[in-house]
Amino acid sequence: MGNVTENAELLQGLSEVYKHVFAFTESLVLRSAVELRIADIIHSNGQPMSLSQIASKIDSSPSINITNLERIMRMLVRKKIFSSSAEPTALYGLTSTSKWLIHDQELSLAPVLLTFTHPTMTTAWYQISPSIKENGTAFEMAHGESFWDMASSNPEFNKLFNDGMASGTKPVLDSIIEGYKDGFSKLEGTLVDVGGALGKVVSKIVEVYPHIKGINFDKPNAFANAPQYPGVIHVGGDMFKEVPSADNVFIKSVLIDWPDEECITILKKCRKAVAEKKGKVIIAEIILHPDRYEMFDDVAISLDLLMMTNFNGGKARTENEWMELLKKVGFTDINIIPLPSIMSIIVCV
């Protein structure tokens, strides 16, 4: 390739390769900060803190390695996850990023980070190339069982995953309720949430729009420990066999888990459920934009690969792929509503 130091383009490429080689350091150092609860410590203090003050609040033995703590904070300040005042005594504060990493608050993504950087999850990524060569699923090749089988048999893993998913729901749900407020305000009668698990999503919709009667629909074991919500009933069943009849259907973050054929089956059941009332099927899902570089587009691409790695046939879809899929179901009136989040609303009639 010639003299790299004399070729600016090659030198830039060299830099980019090294960034990718060590990209894992960013997520795993951030994980260590969440495990040490550094954001919580600063938040509880109410103002920026020195390194020694932070160290004194970390639950550990007296032999805490403050030099190594300083080194991880150096990276996290560089990445704008924490702020730092000028020397000689640096004071570390929260930023708009680290405020999302405080535990035990409604808007916390700390469980999301701990879930998706957990060794059980990351191990599967090492099987991507074998899974491509052998037409397999990386998670199954890594663990000898499917993602859902492990979730069913391993309570610790099931809790890890459910905690991560639950903590990511609140900010998305807020954007759905706000972004589709004109739609929800005009709905009448019953709204069945397909695959609603504990029922948190439909309960929040009903709370904000109490004229709607909510039906949380999932397998009975999915809502076995769910509370009772005002205006919401829990109904057990299998979405591949039948969806309860309702005025309208809502389905969020379900279709991304399944290949096209299964999605068509689910959506036909949804369409049948609202046929008598001529209602809407309202889908909340990611829409991929591979050539666009807006706020959540990189995250969407990563989540598509997460589906590929963990689920047999699960995938995110482009707008064209969604339109093609929905037309196969028989929908003729399809309206896509972008939201200020990673999700979009797709309204089908």
Side-chain angles (χ1 to χ4, degrees):
M1 291 191 296
N3 190 334
V4 173
T5 60
E6 294 177 0
N7 187 318
E9 187 175 337
L10 279 177
L11 199 60
Q12 181 61 39
L14 175 66
S15 169
E16 291 299 321
V17 168
Y18 274 123
K19 285 180 184 178
H20 292 298
V21 168
F22 295 109
F24 74 93
T25 63
E26 296 179 20
S27 59
L28 295 185
V29 166
L30 184 56
R31 178 185 174 90
S32 72
V34 171
E35 290 174 328
L36 293 169
R37 292 181 172 253
I38 293 173
D40 301 73
I41 291 168
I42 298 172
H43 175 69
S44 297
N45 193 56
Q47 60 184 2
M49 303 172 70
S50 69
L51 200 65
S52 60
Q53 289 174 321
I54 294 170
S56 70
K57 298 294 184 180
I58 292 175
D59 294 332
S60 68
S61 67
S63 60
I64 185 170
N65 191 322
I66 197 165
T67 301
N68 286 355
L69 178 63
E70 182 178 26
R71 291 162 76 178
I72 72 163
M73 292 302 289
R74 181 166 57 199
M75 170 183 268
L76 296 171
V77 168
R78 182 176 179 84
K79 297 299 176 180
K80 297 181 171 55
I81 293 165
F82 293 100
S83 64
S84 176
S85 64
E87 296 181 359
T89 303
L91 297 178
Y92 297 94
L94 299 177
T95 66
S96 58
T97 302
S98 48
K99 287 176 182 177
W100 284 94
L101 300 175
I102 301 168
H103 292 75
D104 304 324
Q105 63 172 6
E106 193 174 25
L107 289 176
S108 174
L109 293 183
V112 173
L113 180 74
L114 294 175
T115 294
F116 292 106
T117 59
H118 190 277
T120 305
M121 297 294 289
T122 58
T123 298
W125 291 80
Y126 291 94
Q127 297 299 319
I128 289 177
S129 54
S131 72
I132 290 172
K133 290 178 181 179
E134 301 173 28
N135 193 25
T137 303
F139 190 95
E140 294 181 22
M141 296 178 77
H143 297 291
E145 61 181 333
S146 74
F147 186 97
W148 299 120
D149 285 344
M150 179 177 284
S152 297
S153 63
N154 186 326
E156 184 179 348
F157 176 72
N158 189 53
K159 184 179 186 306
L160 174 77
F161 178 67
N162 286 338
D163 287 349
M165 294 302 295
S167 76
T169 294
K170 180 62 170 66
V172 171
L173 182 54
D174 286 348
S175 73
I176 289 171
I177 290 174
E178 176 63 24
Y180 191 59
K181 61 183 177 182
D182 291 340
F184 285 127
S185 65
K186 294 173 184 175
L187 295 185
E188 297 180 356
T190 52
L191 177 69
V192 56
D193 182 6
V194 176
L198 294 175
K200 290 184 178 181
V201 172
V202 71
S203 69
K204 184 63 178 180
I205 293 171
V206 170
E207 179 185 330
V208 178
Y209 303 96
H211 66 282
I212 297 173
K213 296 179 177 66
I215 301 171
N216 179 52
F217 175 68
D218 212 323
K219 291 183 176 180
N221 64 305
F223 57 78
N225 298 315
Q228 294 298 318
Y229 304 101
V232 176
I233 61 171
H234 298 291
V235 175
D238 185 342
M239 64 185 174
F240 287 101
K241 296 179 179 178
E242 187 174 20
V243 171
S245 178
D247 291 278
N248 298 282
V249 163
F250 181 77
I251 181 166
K252 171 190 168 291
S253 302
V254 171
L255 302 173
I256 194 172
D257 293 339
W258 299 97
D260 288 353
E261 186 175 341
E262 282 81 354
C263 286
I264 289 170
T265 299
I266 295 166
L267 287 168
K268 282 184 175 180
K269 301 300 181 186
C270 292
R271 188 167 182 244
K272 182 181 178 182
V274 300
E276 184 179 339
K277 302 292 181 66
K278 298 181 180 178
K280 297 179 173 66
V281 174
I282 304 160
I283 301 166
E285 281 286 2
I286 292 169
I287 296 181
L288 289 179
H289 297 278
D291 300 322
R292 195 180 73 176
Y293 294 89
E294 295 185 6
M295 189 179 297
F296 294 103
D297 288 335
D298 282 346
V299 180
I301 293 290
S302 295
L303 284 171
D304 176 54
L305 294 176
L306 183 74
M307 296 299 108
M308 178 194 78
T309 303
N310 291 306
F311 304 109
N312 185 11
K315 61 179 180 178
R317 294 169 172 88
T318 65
E319 185 171 326
N320 287 341
E321 288 171 332
W322 274 114
M323 297 300 286
E324 183 178 338
L325 181 70
L326 294 169
K327 286 175 182 176
K328 287 180 181 178
V329 177
F331 292 114
T332 55
D333 186 354
I334 303 166
N335 183 29
I336 296 176
I337 304 169
L339 300 175
S341 76
I342 196 168
M343 292 277 185
S344 292
I345 290 287
I346 309 172
V347 183
C348 308
V349 179

